[in-house]
Structures are given as C-alpha cells and as structure tokens.
Amino acid sequence: MGDPIVSSVVNQVMERSTSLAAQDFAVLWGLKSDLRSLRTIFTQIQAVLADAEVKQRKNRALQDWLRKLRAASFEVENVLEEVSTEALLRRLHVERGIKNRVSTFFSASNPLQFRIMMVQKVKDIKELLNAIASERIMFELEEGINISEVVADIETRIISSIDSEIVGRDEEKEVIIDKICTNLNSLDHDHVHVYAIWGVGGLGKTTLAQLIFNDSRVNKLFDFKVWLRVSNDFSIQRLAREFLKCIEGDSSNLSLMELEPLQQRLQEKLQRRRFLLVLDDVKNENNEEWNGLMQALRCGGKGSAILVTTQSMKLADTIATLPSLVHPLGCLSESDSWLLFKHYAFGVERELESTEFETIGKAIVKKCEGLPLALKVIGSLMCLKTSISDWSCILQSEVWELTYEGTHTQILPSLKLSYDNLPPHMRQCFALCSIFPKHHEMDKQLLVELWVAYGFVPSRGDSDLYDLGEEIFNALVWRSFLQDVKECIFEGVTTCKMHDEMHNLAQSVMKYECSSIMSGEILKFPEEVLHLSSNDIIYLSNEVMAKAKSLRSLITFEGFSRIPTPDYIFEQRYLRVLHLGSSSDMLTDLPESVGNLKFLRYLNVSRSKIAALPNSIVQLQNLQTLKLTFCENLSELPEGIRYMRNLRHLNIHGCCSLDHMPLGMGQLRHLRRLSTFLVGQGVQVSELQELNLLGGEFSIKGLTNVKDSFQAQSANLKKKQNINCLNLSWNWKNSKEDNFPVNNSEGILEALQPHLNLKMLTISDYPGSRVPYWMGSLVNLVSISFEGCRRCESLSSIGKLPSLKALELKEMDVLKYLDDEERNNRNLFPCLDKLIINECPCLIELPYIPKLELLQIIKSNEEIFRSVKELNCLKKFTVEGCHGIVSFPSDWFQGTPDLRSLSILDCLRLESLEDGLQCLKALEELQIMGCPNLRCLPDGLQNLEKLKSVVIRDCEMVKVRCEKDVGEDWSKIVHLPYVKIDDQVMQ
C-alpha cells in the first residue's frame, strides 16, 4: 500500500509560490511570471487530487502517477526554498555590511548568475509538471472540491471528556488473577510459573496485562513487579540488564557487563524474592533463547510469575508452565463492542440522536470484528460525523473490503479508513511518526517542532504554528493514532507512544519516503527516501549518505558506537532536520560547511564537545530550533546570532562553560523557548523586554550583574504569560563581593514579578532577607525551590498558596519558620505533599501540613523532629546528615502515623527523634546508611507487617550483628523479602 499524501504537499507548494510571487524580489529577478505558471499547472492538478487519492487504492498506475507528482512537487518546493532563502541571505548581507558578505557559501554576490540558474531550474520543472499534468487525462479523474479540513479544536474540546475506556475484559482479568492467586502455593514443582496471553494485534493484550499488573490484589502477592517490552529484540543480555535496572534503579554499571555476570547478578537479586515479570509482545519462538532467559529467573521465590503477551499461539503453548496457564484472548462480544464504540462515537456530550444512527453504528461495529483498537479509532471518527449520510458513507466504504499489506502485517481496514478521513496535514504529521522505532517514547515538543520544521502545520490567521501543532497532537491522541500520553509537570515533558498496529499503518504510508536503519539493515529506496533515522550513527556511513541525495531529515537516537560523525552528513543540502541527539557526543566541532545546509530548520547537537559554533551558522536563515543542551565545552554563542530572525527555540541548558549571551538577543522577536539568559559582559536583562512570546521553562542567571530594580523591571516578566517554570539565579556566593547590597537585591527580585500563570519557581543564591510581596499572589504555583538563599529570614505568605504541592529549601542559613506570620494557623499549605529541608540549621519547627506525604530532613536542626508527630499523612521520611546515633528509640515500631519509608543517611545525632516518632507500623522500607556508631537494629522490626526491605550500608557493628543465620540481629530481618548489607544482597 502506498499513500503519497500529495494533496497536502501540493497545498504547501501553492501557498509558498503565492507568498513568493507577492514579494519584491520575484519581480526583481524576473520570476513572477514563472511562479504564476507553476501555480496554474498545480491548480489544474489540484482539481482532481481528491478523486485520485481515492481511486489509487485499486489502481497501481495511478499510485505511480501520484508518486511522480509528489517527487516533482518536492523539486518545486526545493526551488522555491532556494529562492526565498536567497532573499533572506541578501537581507543578511545588507544588515551585516559589505565586510561580512556571505559570498563564500552562497550566490548573494552574483545576482545575475543566480537568476540564470533559477530560470533554468524553473523551466525544467515546468516541463516536468506539464508532462505529469497531461497524464491525468488517461485516468478519467473527476474534478471536485478539495478534501475538507477538519478543525482541530473540535477534538481538543472533546478530548478531556472522553477517557480511555476499557470494556469487556473484567471477566478475563478475574480469571487470570484467580489463577495467579490460587497457584501461588499449590504449584510447588517449580518456583516460577509462566502465564501466556495470546491473540491477534489490536485485541488489547497489553491493556489486559496492565489491568492485572496494576491490580491491588496482585500488588500484595509479590515483593516487586517489573514490566519489560520485548517485541523483536529478544536479547537475554538486554532483558537481564533492563530487569536489573528496574530493581536497582541505576544502570550505569550494567552497560558494559557481559551476559554471564549479568545472569549471576540477577540470580542474586531474585534469590528467595517473589516477583511478577511481564514480558510484553514477545515474538521470538527460539526455545534455546527462551530457556536461557528462564535459567536466570528460576531462582525467584516460590510463587513468582511471568506473564507473557504474544500474537503467537505456538509460542504461548511452548512457554506456559501448564496448558491451563495459556489464555487465548477473544474478541469483544457484540454488546461490549457496541458499548465501547458508543462511548467514543457519542461520548458524554452527545446523545444517540435516532434509531437510524444506532442501526448504522451497529453495522459498522460488526465490521470491526470485536477488536478494541478498531472500535476506538472508528468510534472517534464517527464522533465527528454528524449526518446520516456521513455515517452511511463510512459503512459503505470500499476500504472495508480491501486488503492492505504493511511492512510485515496486514493493516486493519478500520485504521486505514480513519486515516483516510484525517485532513491531509494531519495525515502527514501522523505518518512522519514512523521515523521513530516501535515502542519509542516520543516527546510531544519534538514532534511539534518537526511538524513545523517540515511545513506540515497549516497557518490559521494569527495563530502561532506551534500552538496549532499542539492542537494536531491532541487531535491525534483523541483519535487513538497516538496513545499512552504521560505528562510530567515537574520535568515539563509530555510523551506518547504508538500502538503497533498504528505504527504498521504509518510505515506502510511512508514506505518510500521514510526509512529506519538498524543493525544489519540496508537503506531501502535510497533515491526516494526523505526521512532517515537510526539507533546508532555507525550505520550512517558516508557511503550510505551518498546514496540518499534527497534527504530532508536525519535523526539518530542512541550512538553507542562512539565514532566520529560522518562528514557527508553536512553535505546533505536539502536537510530540514538534523537531530544527532546523543550521537553527537564524539562531535568536537561543527564544520564551517554546516552553513551549506541553508534549508535547515531544526538542528540538535546536544552533548557534543564543541567549544564554539562556526560563524557560518548565522547563514542558516531558516533555522527555527537550535538545541545545544549539555554542550559542556561551549564557551560562547556566535555574535551574529541576532541576525537569525526565524529562530524560535534556543536551548543551552547545561552549557556550564557559557557565561554570557551575545549582544542583540532582543532582536530575536520570534523566540518562543529560551532555556537560559545569562546577564553579564555588557549584556543587560533589558534585552528580554520585547521577547513576550517566551514560554515553557526559562532561567535568568547572573542577576548580580543587574544594577537596579528599574533595569530588572525592563525584563518585562509580568507580560510573559507562557512561561510556566521560572528560575532566577544570582550566583553571588561565587562572587568576590561578600558585601553584596541586600536592599538592592530585594528591589530587583520585587521588580522581576512573573505572570500569574507561573507553575514552578526556583530562586537561587538570592542575597536578600525576605521573599517578594508578589509571591503570595501566584495562585497557580505548584512547586517552589529556594537554594542558597543564606540571608533569607522569612517565607511569609507562601503557606496560603492554594495550589502548592512541592517545597524545597536548601542552604537557608537563617530561616527559622516556614511561615512565621501565622505559625499556629492550621490552614497553611493546604495541598503540600512534598517537603525537602536541606542544611537549614535554624529551622526548628514545622506547621501542621495536612496532606504532607514525603518529608526529607538533611543536615538540619534536630529540634524540627518535634513537629513530625503532627504530620499524620506522612508516607515517606528521609533523615540525612546525623553521625553519632548509637541506637533507635525502642518505641519507634509500636504504632504511629501512616509512615511508609524511612532512610537514615550519614547520621550525626538522632536521640531527639524519639519525641517526634512514636511508631512506624506502616513502614515498608528501612534504609540505614553511614551510621558507624549504630550498635544494633531496633527491636520490633519483626512485628512490622508492611516492612518489605531493609538496606544497611557503612554500619560496621550492625553488619556484624546481621551476619546471615548467625548474627544476633539476623532474627529481626530474616522474614523480610529483601535485605541488602553494603553491596551484598543477603536475600
């Protein structure tokens, strides 16, 4: 199956040619009539495109014609891009002056030569297009209205009201959970039991496994649970490494380990511990490899279980411990299918309008054959169809009867039908996702940036293209083309995934234009490939690059090989996107030839070792996104960056050698994301005054260099309503000015008042003695961090913030109270659930915090522990930084609040905790580290029913007393599923 999505490409070319024709240089270079001729030809073709895209499903010749048209359209687009870029370079030439002319790389110094070259190119393309246009007659295509554009905000409005409903799997969930519970003790011939769920793609095997995995009854049965996605990569070494990573939480020392030591380490971890392991989407039917994996897992505690999902009945029968542990997943019943379809087709805002809708809807449901994915997708489509005739058209579509073969599997008709009904630009956005591997966690911001870079997002009035891109993202999620959306507000990241069947559909659509080279694979269709990705830069050799002459994007994901970046990458003149990711860690400098990539809109060389960007980068006048995160050697940005007027995103987070910004940053009026602004060396904070589109996470560093509040106010933060995370840093503790003016800094902070939309705020190294008055007005604030504010005495007003959930205080030398104005007010911090106190020696009292669940007290005053007994919702408690503890209070483990986790690190003194903690009956995890004077474990550990884990490190006397089977304290912990002393897992 091929789907060139030509209509969207043609629309883009038409829009670009119209825009160029209206500009003065088109007249100057004599190109206006040529551009008009191109538009005329495209108008003739455009009239029949809707009919062509429908009829090509059954007509191979028509598919080939559309492919030729698309290839020619791309050539036209490249020529138009060259013309517009030449105009941008001429403007740059004028702005920078004759001494900075760019003739080294481009033709700005020779307009006559450029005009001759362009006229010839346009003439050749016109002949090609005329030939293609004339061929349309043989296909007897009907002229009609262009494919209608479905407005994305319809779905955006509805998306919040429809949850991802799970229907019809309760009985199957109960059957499998019952088997797991029942067999826990009865199947005593083997420690580890294997259960298998099998069925065709789209049935919901993964969803069912997730329901079982997250069930509260299952949680109580196992010491720990691990979920691993397998798919085609059934590598015992990889799976063992991933399993250990899930258990230990750190994979840094696992990456270089060979298989045998990995297996030995895994066996040590699993010894006598009951675990549940889900292996999702297993395809490997090799018994030898499966037995190799089982060899490492058989040492688990009695009742341990492995739950496998697979599409292979043969595999399920082979690996299941008993035939009764194989669960073939059936299709949904007719009634459940209708219920699921109706949920998506009508939601909660729309009622079933007539029996005719129900009759047609039930007929459509039958065609979905009980597949949940098909029902969700087609239901989402029908939600946008409001007439009986629209519903009838979907029911009677020929797509239901056609067979589409994807890369390795047949495409579900319901998915193809829903895809066909997407607006052309959404089809492009979805299909491009095939450049990512299956199961890859895609970053929403990256997707939107790529869509905008390729020109896939059509303009709409004055709306920002990135905002429109987010609407497209939401629409694709609502229609189930993208799923598993995860939003982390504290990291500012939203991710998603694609269902395997959706990935197959996207790959089938882009089989000529998009290619992903993994280990042992070769580049397919090198002359046609536009988008190329790889999991390792080693597969993108100069030889491979030389074959792909029309590349528009190059993306790498890992870069394990640690080899130099191939030079030929920088000779791909049509590139719009270059994302080297972690593959750039061997890149020591960007060559001057990067300036040749004049079409480039997105450049990511994060984590590279470059010390400076070449001056030629200023010639990338189309560049919209420049990512340089964690380029630790980067010491300066090019002076001419202010001339890169199309720049929207500049990320220099983690560039620790960079200490100032170049002059003129305020000229970049289109900037939407600027990770960091560094004040100093003549660069003033007033550069930010007009940059009111800035959003996301934003840091201002070097506020010691701001002279007064008037200068600070000129940053105009109050008008930057899109910033949701703000970091303000003075860096004064590293300054030689020990007597930094306190009053001046307080006025400066007061003048840096942000917009009320702010959600996260960090203030670092602030030398003032009080927080600003505007702090109490930030009603949407979720998180606050104060770091190194050593003179700050008061945090008045933050206790009343209605949305505050997290508060971190670090190196606050004179702070005495969290809210000293109303210490006895029991209505403070109504939503706070996380509090970290680190090196606050004068803080001696906590107010009543009704919902606090996590508390960390590190190297602080022990008097503060008297307040802990007030925190009756506490679940996790960390004490760190006290050395001379000799023994625990005897009444700790006899009955207090809902305390779940205690870790004691590098302890100094802990006797004063006795008043604060009376009992720890809900304790699940105990960690004691760096307590050399601790003589023994506390009595009563054996009475704690919820305690599952004890970890002891750097406690020599305790280590001796906990020697397995013979130590005096061994009896206190022998019943626990997991005990670790120093680096040795005892059980």
Side-chain angles (χ1 to χ4, degrees):
M1 179 185 74
D3 187 347
I5 327 177
V6 175
S7 54
S8 191
V9 179
V10 169
N11 289 342
Q12 289 169 211
V13 174
M14 290 279 286
E15 186 176 341
R16 173 62 65 85
S17 63
T18 303
S19 172
L20 288 176
Q23 298 180 38
D24 293 339
F25 64 80
V27 178
L28 181 65
W29 294 336
L31 292 174
K32 191 165 185 177
S33 61
D34 293 311
L35 293 175
R36 189 184 301 117
S37 298
L38 286 176
R39 288 204 314 278
T40 300
I41 299 171
F42 272 118
T43 302
Q44 295 170 357
I45 296 173
Q46 199 175 37
V48 298
L49 271 184
D51 191 38
E53 288 192 346
V54 172
K55 290 180 177 176
Q56 58 97 17
R57 296 168 184 159
K58 294 182 177 180
N59 190 326
R60 176 68 66 178
L62 190 50
Q63 287 180 20
D64 292 339
W65 181 77
L66 287 171
R67 281 176 64 191
K68 284 196 296 183
L69 174 59
R70 188 177 190 194
S73 300
F74 285 136
E75 286 190 42
V76 174
E77 199 171 32
N78 285 337
V79 171
L80 297 178
E81 187 85 343
E82 203 158 354
V83 171
S84 64
T85 301
E86 183 71 15
L88 292 174
L89 288 168
R90 286 174 184 270
R91 184 186 69 182
L92 175 65
H93 173 73
V94 171
E95 288 181 347
R96 301 189 74 181
I98 194 71
K99 292 180 181 179
N100 293 307
R101 69 173 55 190
V102 292
S103 57
T104 305
F105 293 93
F106 299 108
S107 57
S109 62
N110 195 340
L112 179 61
Q113 182 181 351
F114 175 79
R115 181 182 182 279
I116 293 172
M117 181 177 65
M118 285 297 103
V119 168
Q120 185 59 47
K121 282 189 175 183
V122 171
K123 179 182 177 182
D124 294 342
I125 285 179
K126 279 168 58 180
E127 291 179 2
L128 176 62
L129 276 176
N130 271 320
I132 293 173
S134 62
E135 289 178 15
R136 76 187 189 280
I137 299 171
M138 72 175 71
F139 299 111
E140 299 180 352
L141 299 173
E142 297 180 11
E143 295 189 3
I145 301 173
N146 292 334
I147 297 173
S148 61
E149 298 284 314
V150 178
V151 180
D153 27 284
I154 294 176
E155 293 111 27
T156 305
R157 175 178 56 82
I158 301 172
I159 190 171
S160 60
S161 65
I162 298 185
D163 300 320
S164 56
E165 187 75 3
I166 298 170
V167 174
R169 296 304 185 197
D170 288 342
E171 184 178 339
E172 284 149 311
K173 181 188 80 170
E174 292 302 320
V175 166
I176 297 175
I177 290 178
D178 183 63
K179 287 179 182 179
I180 292 174
C181 296
T182 304
N183 295 335
L184 209 58
N185 298 311
S186 62
L187 292 177
D188 54 6
H189 64 279
D190 203 341
H191 278 252
V192 180
H193 315 304
V194 182
Y195 302 77
I197 302 173
W198 74 270
V200 299
L203 265 179
K205 300 181 293 296
T206 299
T207 301
L208 177 58
Q210 287 171 339
L211 289 174
I212 296 166
F213 188 79
N214 295 322
D215 191 271
S216 58
R217 292 164 293 175
V218 172
N219 288 339
K220 295 176 183 178
L221 296 176
F222 298 98
D223 299 322
F224 62 87
K225 305 179 300 179
V226 173
W227 183 292
L228 297 179
R229 185 82 185 197
V230 182
S231 195
N232 293 315
D233 186 9
F234 193 92
S235 160
I236 302 175
Q237 191 166 341
R238 179 186 75 86
L239 294 175
R241 184 181 294 116
E242 291 295 321
F243 202 139
L244 284 167
K245 180 181 176 182
C246 291
I247 298 174
E248 299 178 349
D250 180 18
S251 61
S252 56
N253 58 345
L254 302 173
S255 57
L256 300 178
M257 289 181 67
E258 298 296 330
L259 177 59
E260 189 172 340
L262 277 172
Q263 289 177 308
Q264 290 174 354
R265 185 160 172 174
L266 186 57
Q267 289 171 350
E268 291 175 3
K269 297 287 185 183
L270 299 183
Q271 194 71 36
R272 296 179 61 184
R273 298 185 74 193
R274 184 184 292 165
F275 67 86
L276 171 64
L277 169 63
V278 175
L279 296 174
D280 189 28
D281 192 29
V282 178
K283 297 180 179 178
N284 192 316
E285 297 182 355
N286 187 312
N287 285 341
E288 186 176 337
E289 290 186 349
W290 176 259
N291 292 334
L293 177 63
M294 286 301 298
Q295 191 65 38
L297 301 176
R298 285 198 177 101
C299 59
K302 184 178 179 182
S304 293
I306 300 174
L307 179 60
V308 174
T309 70
T310 180
Q311 293 190 32
S312 169
M313 180 176 65
K314 176 184 175 183
L315 177 66
D317 290 337
T318 301
I319 64 177
T321 310
L322 294 172
S324 61
L325 303 187
V326 177
H327 187 89
L329 189 59
C331 298
L332 293 181
S333 67
E334 215 171 296
S335 58
D336 284 336
S337 294
W338 171 245
L339 185 63
L340 183 58
F341 170 83
K342 190 169 65 169
H343 178 83
Y344 279 84
F346 295 95
V348 296
E349 296 181 358
R350 180 179 169 195
E351 297 180 355
L352 197 60
E353 296 166 16
S354 71
T355 54
E356 201 168 353
F357 276 108
E358 181 173 354
T359 301
I360 299 173
K362 288 186 174 180
I364 291 173
V365 164
K366 284 185 179 180
K367 291 182 178 289
C368 293
E369 299 178 341
L371 296 177
L373 177 64
L375 290 160
K376 289 179 183 179
V377 173
I378 206 70
S380 300
L381 169 63
M382 302 317 295
C383 188
L384 302 173
K385 306 291 183 180
T386 56
S387 68
I388 294 294
S389 60
D390 287 340
W391 279 53
S392 296
C393 284
I394 296 298
L395 175 62
Q396 295 164 11
S397 172
E398 62 182 15
V399 175
W400 294 108
E401 311 304 326
L402 298 178
T403 300
Y404 295 100
E405 294 295 332
T407 310
H408 301 292
T409 185
Q410 185 172 323
I411 305 302
L412 296 175
S414 55
L415 307 192
K416 181 61 172 63
L417 187 56
S418 296
Y419 168 80
D420 288 343
N421 276 268
L422 287 174
H425 68 275
M426 283 193 194
R427 277 188 268 160
Q428 282 188 304
C429 293
F430 163 73
L432 183 70
C433 294
S434 64
I435 199 171
F436 298 98
K438 277 187 178 180
H439 317 135
H440 185 78
E441 206 163 42
M442 297 177 287
D443 183 280
K444 179 180 80 170
Q445 183 180 334
L446 174 59
L447 284 179
V448 172
E449 288 171 351
L450 295 182
W451 295 340
V452 173
Y454 296 127
F456 291 172
V457 181
S459 58
R460 192 173 73 203
D462 294 330
S463 298
D464 185 89
L465 291 179
Y466 293 91
D467 292 337
L468 295 176
E470 291 210 12
E471 286 188 16
I472 293 173
F473 178 87
N474 289 337
L476 291 174
V477 169
W478 180 75
R479 292 166 177 253
S480 298
F481 284 91
L482 302 175
Q483 61 179 26
D484 293 344
V485 177
K486 296 177 183 176
E487 184 174 5
C488 180
I489 186 171
F490 293 111
E491 295 179 7
V493 174
T494 300
T495 61
C496 67
K497 291 183 180 180
M498 294 177 73
H499 191 283
D500 282 0
E501 299 299 320
M502 283 295 184
H503 196 276
N504 291 336
L505 171 62
Q507 280 187 318
S508 68
V509 168
M510 297 288 282
K511 67 179 180 180
Y512 299 112
E513 291 85 7
C514 187
S515 183
S516 188
I517 304 181
M518 304 301 173
S519 176
E521 297 180 355
I522 61 171
L523 181 60
K524 300 175 183 177
F525 313 111
E527 296 299 323
E528 294 185 66
V529 66
L530 300 175
H531 311 291
L532 182 61
S533 67
S534 179
N535 65 338
D536 200 321
I537 202 169
I538 194 173
Y539 306 125
L540 302 177
S541 63
N542 286 332
E543 182 182 359
V544 171
M545 291 290 95
K547 293 178 181 178
K549 297 179 180 179
S550 301
L551 272 189
R552 293 192 165 203
S553 58
L554 181 61
I555 298 177
T556 61
F557 303 108
E558 300 296 342
F560 297 121
S561 304
R562 301 185 66 80
I563 64 168
T565 304
D567 296 335
Y568 212 92
I569 285 178
F570 299 102
E571 297 181 27
Q572 296 291 330
R573 60 186 302 236
Y574 297 116
L575 275 183
R576 269 73 166 174
V577 169
L578 179 56
H579 177 100
L580 293 179
S582 58
S583 297
S584 58
D585 59 359
M586 292 296 289
L587 189 66
T588 55
D589 61 82
L590 273 178
E592 285 286 337
S593 59
V594 72
N596 283 327
L597 307 181
K598 57 183 179 179
F599 296 169
L600 206 61
R601 282 158 166 76
Y602 177 102
L603 176 61
N604 185 340
V605 288
S606 296
R607 300 185 184 276
S608 66
K609 294 180 172 58
I610 58 176
L613 297 172
N615 289 327
S616 63
I617 200 166
V618 178
Q619 292 155 191
L620 302 181
Q621 287 291 292
N622 289 303
L623 197 66
Q624 298 168 350
T625 299
L626 178 58
K627 294 190 176 181
L628 303 164
T629 58
F630 295 103
C631 292
E632 296 180 352
N633 297 337
L634 185 67
S635 59
E636 61 179 353
L637 293 172
E639 180 186 346
I641 199 169
R642 64 180 181 271
Y643 297 114
M644 301 175 72
R645 302 292 169 74
N646 280 312
L647 204 60
R648 264 70 169 173
H649 294 186
L650 175 59
N651 195 333
I652 52 174
H653 179 74
C655 296
C656 52
S657 299
L658 197 63
D659 60 4
H660 69 283
M661 305 299 287
L663 287 168
M665 291 295 293
Q667 297 178 34
L668 301 178
R669 302 291 173 82
H670 295 298
L671 268 183
R672 287 175 51 86
R673 294 286 190 277
L674 176 61
S675 61
T676 311
F677 186 86
L678 300 155
V679 185
Q681 295 197 18
V683 179
Q684 301 297 329
V685 75
S686 56
E687 293 267 16
L688 299 171
Q689 185 166 15
E690 300 298 326
L691 304 185
N692 291 329
L693 294 178
L694 289 180
E697 183 175 357
F698 178 53
S699 299
I700 305 179
K701 296 185 177 181
L703 287 170
T704 48
N705 298 309
V706 177
K707 294 180 180 179
D708 50 42
S709 59
F710 178 77
Q711 196 178 84
Q713 193 170 15
S714 68
N716 211 8
L717 292 188
K718 197 172 183 179
K719 289 191 176 180
K720 295 172 175 47
Q721 61 181 350
N722 298 319
I723 294 176
N724 53 46
C725 180
L726 177 64
N727 305 312
L728 301 174
S729 176
W730 267 257
N731 303 112
W732 74 283
K733 64 181 179 182
N734 298 322
S735 172
K736 295 180 181 178
E737 301 178 40
D738 295 329
N739 298 316
F740 192 84
V742 175
N743 293 334
N744 197 33
S745 65
E746 290 176 358
I748 288 170
L749 182 56
E750 200 69 58
L752 290 171
Q753 180 175 357
H755 193 276
L756 294 180
N757 288 348
L758 193 69
K759 292 184 178 179
M760 301 177 67
L761 174 65
T762 297
I763 298 177
S764 302
D765 307 321
Y766 167 58
S769 61
R770 62 173 179 81
V771 297
Y773 293 113
W774 48 256
M775 187 80 76
S777 65
L778 299 178
V779 294
N780 294 302
L781 207 59
V782 174
S783 170
I784 307 178
S785 296
F786 293 94
E787 300 176 2
C789 304
R790 298 185 180 276
R791 295 174 178 169
C792 192
E793 301 173 352
S794 167
L795 298 181
S796 57
S797 75
I798 70 169
K800 295 180 180 179
L801 293 175
S803 304
L804 188 65
K805 290 187 175 183
L807 174 61
E808 181 173 3
L809 310 171
K810 183 178 181 181
E811 298 175 356
M812 306 280 283
D813 292 351
V814 298
L815 182 70
K816 292 183 179 180
Y817 305 100
L818 292 191
D819 196 315
D820 61 341
E821 291 185 356
E822 300 185 63
R823 293 200 299 275
N824 297 320
N825 186 344
R826 295 181 68 84
N827 295 317
L828 297 176
F829 302 104
C831 291
L832 193 71
D833 60 22
K834 177 181 179 181
L835 175 60
I836 299 174
I837 300 170
N838 187 350
E839 295 189 51
C840 300
C842 294
L843 185 60
I844 60 174
E845 182 181 347
L846 297 178
Y848 173 71
I849 306 176
K851 295 183 180 180
L852 193 68
E853 295 184 355
L854 183 150
L855 173 63
Q856 293 183 10
I857 301 176
I858 305 167
K859 298 179 183 177
S860 296
N861 195 316
E862 67 272 7
E863 290 186 37
I864 200 171
F865 292 111
R866 295 175 182 173
S867 309
V868 172
K869 60 185 176 183
E870 293 284 330
L871 309 176
N872 52 23
C873 287
L874 204 61
K875 293 182 178 180
K876 295 183 179 181
F877 182 31
T878 298
V879 180
E880 181 178 351
C882 307
H883 247 251
I885 181 171
V886 175
S887 63
F888 287 96
S890 59
D891 54 358
W892 263 26
F893 302 100
Q894 295 172 10
T896 99
D898 186 17
L899 193 61
R900 297 288 177 85
S901 176
L902 171 68
S903 81
I904 302 173
L905 314 174
D906 299 329
C907 295
L908 270 184
R909 215 168 82 213
L910 202 57
E911 285 84 353
S912 59
L913 280 177
E914 184 169 2
D915 293 334
L917 297 172
Q918 298 300 318
C919 56
L920 301 171
K921 277 195 171 181
L923 193 67
E924 293 182 353
E925 182 179 338
L926 175 64
Q927 298 182 39
I928 308 171
M929 305 180 190
C931 300
N933 297 313
L934 184 64
R935 296 172 183 171
C936 62
L937 289 179
D939 293 326
L941 282 181
Q942 58 270 37
N943 299 324
L944 299 181
E945 296 179 358
K946 295 185 178 181
L947 189 63
K948 293 184 177 181
S949 170
V950 165
V951 176
I952 302 166
R953 191 172 70 206
D954 299 329
C955 304
E956 287 303 315
M957 287 186 281
V958 175
K959 179 179 178 181
V960 172
R961 290 179 63 92
C962 289
E963 188 176 349
K964 191 170 184 177
D965 297 328
V966 298
E968 296 174 68
D969 281 359
W970 179 249
S971 60
K972 298 177 182 179
I973 55 177
V974 66
H975 66 292
L976 298 176
Y978 185 72
V979 176
K980 181 179 180 180
I981 299 178
D982 289 338
D983 291 325
Q984 183 179 2
V985 178
M986 310 298 290
Q987 63 181 33

